[in-house]
Amino acid sequence: MSSKITQQWATFARLWYLVDAYKQPPGRVASQVSFLLQGKHKPIFHPLSDVGDHVIIINTGHIAIDEKTWYKRKHRHHTGYPGGFSETPIYKVHDKDKTKLMKKAIYGMLPKDLRRRTMMERLHLFPYEEFPDELKENVCDQLKPPFELPKTLPEYTQEEKDAFPRLWLQPDPWKKSQR
């Protein structure tokens, strides 16, 4: 009997997920997060119900966007008044607020109805690794990033570097060639 109650509680409970956006494309992270905010991963999902979970995204200040896109893509805003339209390159928007691009990407992927605002309240964005301890206590799972990052050269040990196959040996310019 208690196992059924536990299963029901786990189904209806709002869980907290952690997502690391370090060097990840904002669109890929946004599609993964919008799925959780809507609650589509739960067996009790219904389009009109509000069963989504909380999501914490860290490192939104280090997202991966192509260099041309930083300067080419514009952030468009209109105040609602005549002549109130403005365009700003996304690199300037990112310099001003490191979380805004990720927030806009997720906001655009949520359903366009009255529930969108409450879903966005369950989204917690942080530009760097640090976030409050109160939220760390709630986190129950860390999601796998959309792309696995390859290791950089300093991350390899000396044994791994020595075991790596050599395509050619660099000639020593100071030694005279033996002919």
Side-chain angles (χ1 to χ4, degrees):
M1 181 80 176
S2 65
S3 65
K4 284 224 178 238
I5 293 171
T6 308
Q7 287 174 352
Q8 283 183 342
W9 176 85
T11 303
F12 286 97
R14 292 196 193 274
L15 303 176
W16 289 68
Y17 292 97
L18 179 67
V19 178
D20 189 5
Y22 183 73
K23 292 187 179 177
Q24 300 294 328
R28 297 289 178 108
V29 174
S31 64
Q32 188 179 34
V33 167
S34 68
F35 195 77
L36 294 170
L37 289 174
Q38 294 176 56
K40 285 189 171 184
H41 61 290
K42 294 188 174 185
I44 58 166
F45 172 74
H46 186 270
L48 299 177
S49 62
D50 185 23
V51 293
D53 293 331
H54 288 266
V55 179
I56 300 169
I57 303 178
I58 58 173
N59 286 324
T60 59
H62 302 290
I63 55 176
I65 295 180
D66 186 41
E67 187 176 355
K68 289 180 184 176
T69 310
W70 277 115
Y71 299 102
K72 203 165 108 177
R73 188 174 293 167
K74 308 284 185 197
H75 167 71
R76 293 170 178 85
H77 176 72
H78 199 288
T79 62
Y81 289 98
F85 180 73
S86 67
E87 283 186 332
T88 311
I90 62 171
Y91 76 91
K92 287 186 180 179
V93 174
H94 189 69
D95 288 343
K96 205 181 269 188
D97 183 9
K98 304 263 187 227
T99 61
K100 190 163 190 169
L101 293 178
M102 187 66 72
K103 185 176 181 178
K104 282 186 62 77
I106 295 167
Y107 188 79
M109 291 194 183
L110 292 175
K112 280 68 173 174
D113 58 9
L114 295 174
R115 296 175 298 130
R116 179 156 58 168
R117 195 173 285 166
T118 57
M119 288 180 196
M120 288 298 289
E121 288 174 0
R122 291 193 299 269
L123 178 67
H124 310 277
L125 299 168
F126 298 98
Y128 304 108
E129 291 261 347
E130 301 85 29
F131 62 100
D133 291 332
E134 298 86 39
L135 297 181
K136 287 181 184 176
E137 295 169 0
N138 296 331
V139 173
C140 65
D141 194 14
Q142 181 170 358
L143 296 180
K144 201 173 144 188
F147 291 112
E148 287 293 325
L149 294 178
K151 287 171 40 174
T152 59
L153 191 58
E155 293 174 354
Y156 284 102
T157 62
Q158 190 60 40
E159 293 83 28
E160 289 175 322
K161 289 178 188 176
D162 293 339
F164 197 79
R166 303 247 178 215
L167 298 178
W168 58 281
L169 293 174
Q170 186 173 2
D172 191 3
W174 301 107
K175 288 185 179 177
K176 290 184 178 178
S177 60
Q178 304 282 333
R179 289 189 185 186

